[in-house]
């Protein structure tokens, strides 16, 4: 008998156990709001499916035969397992517990998400977190993740989400580099500088900047190109040129004075813009372990 066939028997097994424990079809029917005839038909179908007679019926009582006794024991085990599964489900839906699998982009994960995991785990001792830091966005169903962070304008189709905050790009350089090569006062002045850019697509060397209603596009060049913001950060700290970094990647170096913002009156409007969204499947009911992590990250990163 296959799994599907066995699953089809479960309602009949529950009815059989109820009849045995109540002692009669009439008593069992009163307990579950059914009729004796309906229960009798269910037991008859069960016996037919099994090819076994389970109950010896007389005008006064029902009696389990040998096969019925063995089958009733198996029914009780199955129903107890179902009760345990329901208790587990109710417990997990009542309080935050269990494992959460979260996927985040590399720089965002390292600089913003990973530092928050310690405080979160201390606050919720019954939750475990598996954090994957990767620039590859997973398929939440196929890859088995509960949540992911993606920089986007709005949640993709089929996903629900909550914005964690704006992602801004800043032009930065070290004070030493600017002291040697000068500080640009206009986007076109970047043509005279070594610029460290993303390099993932053919257009990444074209920096788009806007101030008020003015838009400038500059085809920059430089000696170092990297698709990872932390690598560009290290190159800028080594005085190799002007780079474009997410604000969270540059924040610590800016605060310490190891980097300074270049062209602060201009807004970079190129790639990797928008908001960081925390995303989950639209069709799922959120258990407490996910709700509290979503609320925690949103509060911390707002």
């Amino acid at each position: 008998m296959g799994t599907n066939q066995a699953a089809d028997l479960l309602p009949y097994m529950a009815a059989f156990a109820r009849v045995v424990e109540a002692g009669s079809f009439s008593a069992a029917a009163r307990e579950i709001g059914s009729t004796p005839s309906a229960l009798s038909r269910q037991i008859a179908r069960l016996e037919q499916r099994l090819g076994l007679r389970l109950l010896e019926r007389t005008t006064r009582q029902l009696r389990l035969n040998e096969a019925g006794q063995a089958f009733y024991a198996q029914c009780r085990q199955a129903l107890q397992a179902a009760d345990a599964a329901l208790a587990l489900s109710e417990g997990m839906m009542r309080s935050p517990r269990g494992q959460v699998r979260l996927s985040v982009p590399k720089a965002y994960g390292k600089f913003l998400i990973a530092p928050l995991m310690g405080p979160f785990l201390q606050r919720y001792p019954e939750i475990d977190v598996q954090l994957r830091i990767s620039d590859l966005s997973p398929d939440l169903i196929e890859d088995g993740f509960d949540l992911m962070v993606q920089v986007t304008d709005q949640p993709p189709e089929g996903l629900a989400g909550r914005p964690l905050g704006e992602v801004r790009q800043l032009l930065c350089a070290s004070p030493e580099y600017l002291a040697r090569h000068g500080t640009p006062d206009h986007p076109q002045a970047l043509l005279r500088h070594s610029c460290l850019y993303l390099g993932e697509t053919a257009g990444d060397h074209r920096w788009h900047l806007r101030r008020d209603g003015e838009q400038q596009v500059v085809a920059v060049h430089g000696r170092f190109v990297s698709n990872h913001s932390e690598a560009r950060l290290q190159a800028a700290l080594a005085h190799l040129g002007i780079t474009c970094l997410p604000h969270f990647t540059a924040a610590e170096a800016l605060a310490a004075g190891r980097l300074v913002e270049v062209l602060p009156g201009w807004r970079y409007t190129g790639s990797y813009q928008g908001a960081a969204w925390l995303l989950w499947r639209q069709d799922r009911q959120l258990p407490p372990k996910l709700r509290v992590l979503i609320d925690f990250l949103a509060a911390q990163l707002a």
Side-chain angles (χ1 to χ4, degrees):
M1 184 179 293
T3 302
N4 290 339
Q5 290 177 303
D8 290 343
L9 288 182
L10 291 175
Y12 298 129
M13 293 169 68
F16 174 73
R18 181 75 70 165
V19 169
V20 171
E21 290 162 6
S24 70
F25 288 106
S26 298
R30 285 194 297 271
E31 289 180 4
I32 64 174
S34 183
T35 64
S37 60
L39 280 176
S40 180
R41 286 193 297 272
Q42 284 185 291
I43 303 307
R45 291 192 194 104
L46 176 63
E47 291 177 324
Q48 184 179 14
R49 291 283 298 276
L50 294 173
L52 292 171
R53 189 168 183 82
L54 304 174
L55 290 171
E56 302 299 335
R57 301 164 175 83
T58 69
T59 55
R60 295 186 177 181
Q61 64 177 359
L62 293 175
R63 184 177 63 82
L64 287 173
N65 57 25
E66 183 179 1
Q69 290 174 352
F71 187 72
Y72 173 68
Q74 296 299 319
C75 289
R76 285 310 315 156
Q77 289 183 18
L79 293 173
Q80 287 167 0
D83 288 341
L86 285 174
L88 175 65
S89 173
E90 290 172 358
M92 295 188 75
M93 292 304 292
R94 196 166 45 237
S95 62
R97 64 178 64 181
Q99 185 186 71
V100 178
R101 298 191 72 217
L102 168 64
S103 178
V104 298
K106 286 182 179 177
Y108 196 88
K110 176 178 179 179
F111 289 100
L112 293 182
I113 299 294
L116 296 175
M117 290 298 96
F120 175 79
L121 293 171
Q122 290 175 0
R123 183 178 298 185
Y124 297 100
E126 293 188 89
I127 297 179
D128 300 330
V129 175
Q130 181 179 342
L131 177 65
R132 186 188 79 161
I133 296 180
S134 171
D135 287 333
L136 297 176
S137 294
D139 182 294
L140 290 180
I141 297 177
E142 291 187 5
D143 297 325
F145 283 91
D146 300 295
L147 302 168
M148 70 175 178
V149 172
Q150 190 176 91
V151 177
T152 181
D153 292 327
Q154 60 184 7
E157 185 178 356
L159 298 179
R162 187 164 175 180
L164 298 178
E166 182 185 18
V167 173
R168 293 180 294 109
Q169 298 281 343
L170 307 174
L171 301 189
C172 306
S174 69
E176 290 86 346
Y177 172 85
L178 295 175
R180 288 200 300 265
H181 301 279
T183 300
D185 57 1
H186 189 272
Q188 295 302 322
L190 293 170
L191 293 171
R192 299 191 296 271
H193 286 268
S194 174
C195 295
L196 320 173
Y197 57 90
L198 183 67
E200 282 191 330
T201 67
D204 282 340
H205 72 296
R206 297 175 64 83
W207 284 1
H208 298 248
L209 297 112
R210 186 179 68 240
R211 181 180 64 183
D212 300 327
E214 183 182 0
Q215 180 80 30
Q216 292 283 328
V217 180
V218 184
V220 300
H221 61 88
R223 297 180 56 207
F224 183 72
V225 178
S226 175
N227 67 339
H228 198 286
S229 64
E230 192 171 4
R232 298 196 306 277
L233 168 66
Q234 296 304 320
L237 292 172
H239 324 305
L240 294 182
I242 299 172
T243 191
C244 186
L245 296 173
H247 68 278
F248 48 80
T249 302
E252 184 177 344
L254 288 169
R258 294 187 295 151
L259 289 183
V260 295
E261 189 173 356
V262 175
L263 297 174
W266 290 81
R267 176 71 180 268
Y268 179 88
T269 59
S271 59
Y272 204 60
Q273 297 286 318
W277 283 78
L278 189 57
L279 303 172
W280 58 90
R281 297 202 312 270
Q282 200 171 45
D283 60 350
R284 73 174 302 180
Q285 181 181 5
L286 288 178
K289 65 180 182 179
L290 298 190
R291 287 200 301 269
V292 296
L293 181 55
I294 291 167
D295 290 343
F296 179 85
L297 292 178
Q300 296 295 318
L301 297 173

